[in-house]
Amino acid sequence: MNTDATPTLKPVPGLDIEKYKPQLIERFSNPGIRDTVARLCAESSDRISKWLLPVVRDQLAMPEPHVRFAAAIVASWARYAEGVDEQGGPIDVVDRLKERVMAAAQRYPNDKHAFLRDKELFGDLIDQPVFVEAYDRVLSSLHEVGARETLRMLLGHAS
């Protein structure tokens, strides 16, 4: 929130973003607002392209871009789109572009950037080394040690 998103936000009249962020964390920490991973992953091609990728592009235009968490979200989407969980069970990928994203994701590890090569979804992100390196690190980690340990690594907690 502080490194990736906040620097890209334009001021909103009447909203103090620094006071709003803790309120947002508190609201989403409420167990009564619990959400399922399946629902959060559904329709990623619409959500990520609309809400996340503009933040990535704004960050990449900055002198010191921060895209580590955004790249982690895209890598997590690629891993989800493989359609197989960490135990080898099937994942029901829910997305209007299901066949397309699954076909690209399933080419990993033979083509570790197949998912990012979709110009319609990602534009030139494949040509942005800062983003691609962060994406590679997370996607490799998701495959090697799983989601829980990858999240620990991203948050700076050694296991």
Side-chain angles (χ1 to χ4, degrees):
M1 202 183 279
N2 291 326
T3 59
D4 292 33
T6 302
T8 71
L9 298 175
K10 293 176 176 55
V12 176
L15 177 70
D16 181 338
I17 191 72
E18 294 308 317
K19 288 182 180 174
Y20 181 62
K21 289 189 287 189
Q23 293 171 4
L24 206 55
I25 298 294
E26 183 180 343
R27 184 180 319 151
F28 286 106
S29 299
N30 180 339
I33 302 179
R34 192 173 319 177
D35 212 340
T36 65
V37 173
R39 197 197 73 75
L40 291 171
C41 293
E43 304 301 341
S44 295
S45 61
D46 291 328
R47 294 176 184 197
I48 288 176
S49 61
K50 183 176 182 179
W51 300 108
L52 182 72
L53 297 184
V55 170
V56 171
R57 286 185 174 72
D58 286 351
Q59 275 288 351
L60 290 171
M62 294 181 178
E64 293 185 39
H66 294 277
V67 295
R68 183 170 69 127
F69 293 111
I73 292 168
V74 175
S76 298
W77 176 24
R79 179 65 185 88
Y80 161 78
E82 290 174 20
V84 179
D85 69 20
E86 292 176 3
Q87 291 73 41
I91 295 173
D92 182 24
V93 175
V94 177
D95 198 296
R96 69 180 175 83
L97 301 178
K98 176 180 179 171
E99 290 78 19
R100 184 164 126 197
V101 297
M102 286 186 75
Q106 290 169 354
R107 289 199 295 273
Y108 184 91
N110 295 328
D111 179 359
K112 67 181 185 173
H113 298 138
F115 197 74
L116 291 179
R117 291 186 204 289
D118 188 324
K119 295 281 188 184
E120 189 178 330
L121 286 174
F122 300 109
D124 70 343
L125 286 184
I126 189 70
D127 302 319
Q128 303 294 325
V130 171
F131 183 83
V132 173
E133 288 167 15
Y135 169 89
D136 286 347
R137 193 169 27 260
V138 172
L139 189 53
S140 292
S141 181
L142 288 168
H143 281 278
E144 292 167 13
V145 298
R148 187 175 306 274
E149 287 304 313
T150 298
L151 184 57
R152 290 175 61 79
M153 176 266 303
L154 281 165
L155 296 176
H157 305 291
S159 57

